[in-house]
Amino acid sequence: MKVIEGNLVSKGYRFALVASRFNELISRKLVEGAVDCLLRHEVKDKDITVLWVPGAFEIPLVAQEAAKNKNYDAVICLGAVIRGATPHFEYVSAEVSKGIAQVGLAQSKPVIYGILTTDTIEQAIERAGTKAGNKGFAAASAALEMLSLLAEIR
Ligand code: INI
């Protein structure tokens, strides 16, 4: 049996974080969590670029530009889509999920989905550095693992 799996060791990789200003209180915490994870896995500060977009809906386009760019090995998408009184949530969350998946496949690079989709602000806060951890940290960890796994396979 042969098992191939990634580790969390960065080998000089460069990361683009694409973050949404909408629900910025939450997004900033996700960015902080992702940066914390990367720095603690010995990624250099100069190898992290944060790209702010207006809202989650705009994330896929900028993620695509970043993924196409040879200066970035992985793209980490961060934001929070929180359900409101209208169907807006459904449209934004559907598009951002589909768009991020498409970019990763089209560019053959890790494009990580660190988007919270929650019913309430409280649920988002819980996942942005309080009792349910920090989804930004987990997204950065997934990026490291995917880079290592892809390097092994390739
Ligand atoms: N953008 C978000 O990032 N989160 C949300 O919860 C959200 N809601 O619910 O409206 C949201 N809307 C803005 C959207 O992403 C676009 O920026 C806007 O529609 C302009 O295209």
Side-chain angles (χ1 to χ4, degrees):
M1 180 176 74
K2 187 171 185 184
V3 177
I4 302 179
E5 59 186 351
N7 58 36
L8 302 178
V9 179
S10 180
K11 302 219 168 98
Y13 292 124
R14 291 162 305 170
F15 297 82
L17 277 53
V18 183
S20 153
R21 280 190 200 286
F22 204 101
N23 296 321
E24 191 187 7
L25 183 86
I26 307 292
S27 304
R28 277 205 184 275
K29 290 291 167 192
L30 298 175
V31 170
E32 281 174 26
V35 170
D36 181 42
C37 175
L38 295 175
L39 294 178
R40 284 164 61 189
H41 286 88
E42 301 188 359
V43 175
K44 294 192 178 67
D45 184 83
K46 70 168 179 54
D47 290 334
I48 304 171
T49 302
V50 183
L51 302 159
W52 286 100
V53 297
F57 193 83
E58 284 72 40
I59 287 177
L61 177 59
V62 174
Q64 176 168 263
E65 288 304 318
K68 275 187 186 168
N69 191 315
K70 61 176 174 34
N71 291 327
Y72 306 118
D73 300 295
V75 181
I76 302 168
C77 302
L78 302 165
V81 192
I82 302 173
R83 195 182 288 279
T86 70
H88 201 73
F89 168 94
E90 318 290 346
Y91 297 116
V92 174
S93 55
E95 288 310 311
V96 67
S97 314
K98 195 172 63 189
I100 290 172
Q102 279 175 359
V103 171
L105 293 175
Q107 304 303 325
S108 271
K109 277 188 186 173
V111 179
I112 304 299
Y113 183 78
I115 312 293
L116 301 175
T117 54
T118 64
D119 288 330
T120 64
I121 289 175
E122 288 72 20
Q123 288 172 346
I125 291 170
E126 279 174 13
R127 289 157 180 78
T130 60
K131 65 183 183 185
N134 187 315
K135 173 91 172 168
F137 190 105
S141 172
L144 287 164
E145 183 172 346
M146 286 299 291
L147 285 165
S148 162
L149 175 61
L150 290 172
E152 279 295 316
I153 294 169
R154 287 167 184 169

